[in-house]
Each structure stands twice: as C-alpha cells, then as structure tokens.
Amino acid sequence: MIGLLGLISALSSTSAAGDEIPQRAIVRFNTICTNCHEGECSGRLSFSSGAAAARQHMQRYLGPIVDADVTAFFGLLRYTKENCAHYPQPARIPDSGIWTAADLKEWRNPDSGAYFIALGHLAPGDYRLQLSFASHAEGRLKITDQHFEPLVEAALSPEAEQEMTFTAMAGAHYLTLHGQSTLTGMALIASAR
C-alpha cells in the first residue's frame, strides 16, 4: 500500500497535462463517481484520511479495485473537489471531429457500458452531435463544460442513429453516456452560422 506521504507526494506532482492518471480510471470515475461528487467542489475539503481510508467506499460503488486504482480515484476526487473541474484528458481527440468504433473503445467503462468522452476544446458556437450505435439505444446523455455545467441532458431515443444540437461556450466539453448499446461512431460538427 502506498503510504499517506507517498500519496500526497504523488498527488502534488500531478501535472495539468493529466498524464499521471490512466485514461481507464478517468473514464470509470466519470461514469460512476461524478454522479455524486461533481457538486461537492471546495478547496477547503480535507483529504487527511488518505486514499486507503476511502477504499471501502470506492469498492462499494466500483467493485474490486487494486491499489493503483485506489490512488488514481483518490487523485481524481481530489482534483475534482479542489478545482471544480474535469481532470485534464490524456487521450487523443480526433482532429476531424469524427470518432470511429476503435477511437470510442478507450472512452467506455467496460464494467457499466457507459461512456465518458472528451469532446475537446470547442470554440463558441452551435454544434451537431451525431451518434451511431450497434443496436437500438436506450439510456441518458449529458454534455457538460469543464466545470460540470450541463449543456444537454436528454434521454436517448431508441434508434441506432441519433443527432442532437447544442450551443457551446469556449473551452473543454465532455459527453457522458449511460446505456448498454455500443457506440460504433460519433461525429461532432460545428454548425455554420
């Protein structure tokens, strides 16, 4: 087990690039944990109990986890609460705005089937989001900005092909998708004015 001093040292060295916490942990955290923890932002919160003390709570919601997961999830929680923001994403976002099934695989939580996808830093304006599923889709979709402010919260229609529009302010944006159908493709297109 990592000691409290080691954990504090590891967390204090977390860079803005977000490359210290694995993508799979970021996806898992944002498809399960942020449902409750995104509204608990405060730089005054205490983390003196350490990651080990939070392990049972984590396992209650995430199932069995290894020590590296405990450290990663605790680091994500700390970042979320202290910065009131999503943790910076290490994964590459397609420049074309088109994600293939292979691109989307790394953004899926294999345990729950949910997705957490960084849409990238968007310029202000209107956007169309097109989703293609392997089969009929059921579930919920949410698009948020860097600070968890929702732009879209909607139920998915049962069709395999879906499209929605939203207006973004400048900055990073994220898509959370809860459902069981596999995404086979996604496109984010800036609408012409």
Side-chain angles (χ1 to χ4, degrees):
M1 284 255 187
I2 189 167
L4 182 56
L5 292 177
L7 177 63
I8 290 169
S9 173
L11 292 175
S12 66
S13 68
T14 300
S15 76
D19 53 2
E20 282 79 10
I21 296 181
Q23 178 69 17
R24 64 176 173 71
I26 294 169
V27 168
R28 229 170 137 196
F29 181 85
N30 283 287
T31 56
I32 306 292
C33 306
T34 57
N35 293 334
C36 296
H37 291 296
E38 69 185 10
E40 299 176 348
C41 300
S42 172
R44 297 171 300 152
L45 292 170
S46 171
F47 291 90
S48 61
S49 62
R55 185 183 194 116
Q56 283 188 319
H57 173 79
M58 292 177 194
Q59 288 181 310
R60 186 176 327 132
Y61 293 96
L62 298 168
I65 54 179
V66 297
D67 291 346
D69 289 337
V70 172
T71 302
F73 295 135
F74 193 75
L76 286 163
L77 179 63
R78 180 180 205 128
Y79 186 92
T80 298
K81 288 182 177 241
E82 290 180 349
N83 295 283
C84 269
H86 285 288
Y87 189 78
Q89 296 298 298
R92 188 176 121 26
I93 299 165
D95 294 330
S96 65
I98 298 172
W99 285 258
T100 65
D103 296 327
L104 293 164
K105 188 175 181 179
E106 70 181 295
W107 299 100
R108 188 172 198 197
N109 180 340
D111 299 325
S112 69
Y115 289 86
F116 175 73
I117 304 168
L119 300 176
H121 287 271
L122 304 180
D126 296 326
Y127 291 84
R128 279 186 301 133
L129 179 67
Q130 298 171 331
L131 304 169
S132 299
F133 293 93
S135 59
H136 295 297
E138 290 185 28
R140 297 214 42 88
L141 172 143
K142 181 166 68 168
I143 298 172
T144 58
D145 69 9
Q146 176 66 23
H147 298 287
F148 305 106
E149 290 299 322
L151 304 174
V152 175
E153 290 186 85
L156 295 172
S157 64
E159 290 84 33
E161 301 290 325
Q162 302 193 30
E163 182 174 299
M164 61 202 52
T165 59
F166 66 96
T167 301
M169 301 298 284
H173 290 77
Y174 302 86
L175 168 69
T176 306
L177 181 65
H178 290 276
Q180 291 301 312
S181 187
T182 302
L183 264 177
T184 57
M186 184 174 88
L188 181 63
I189 304 154
S191 299
R193 290 199 173 217

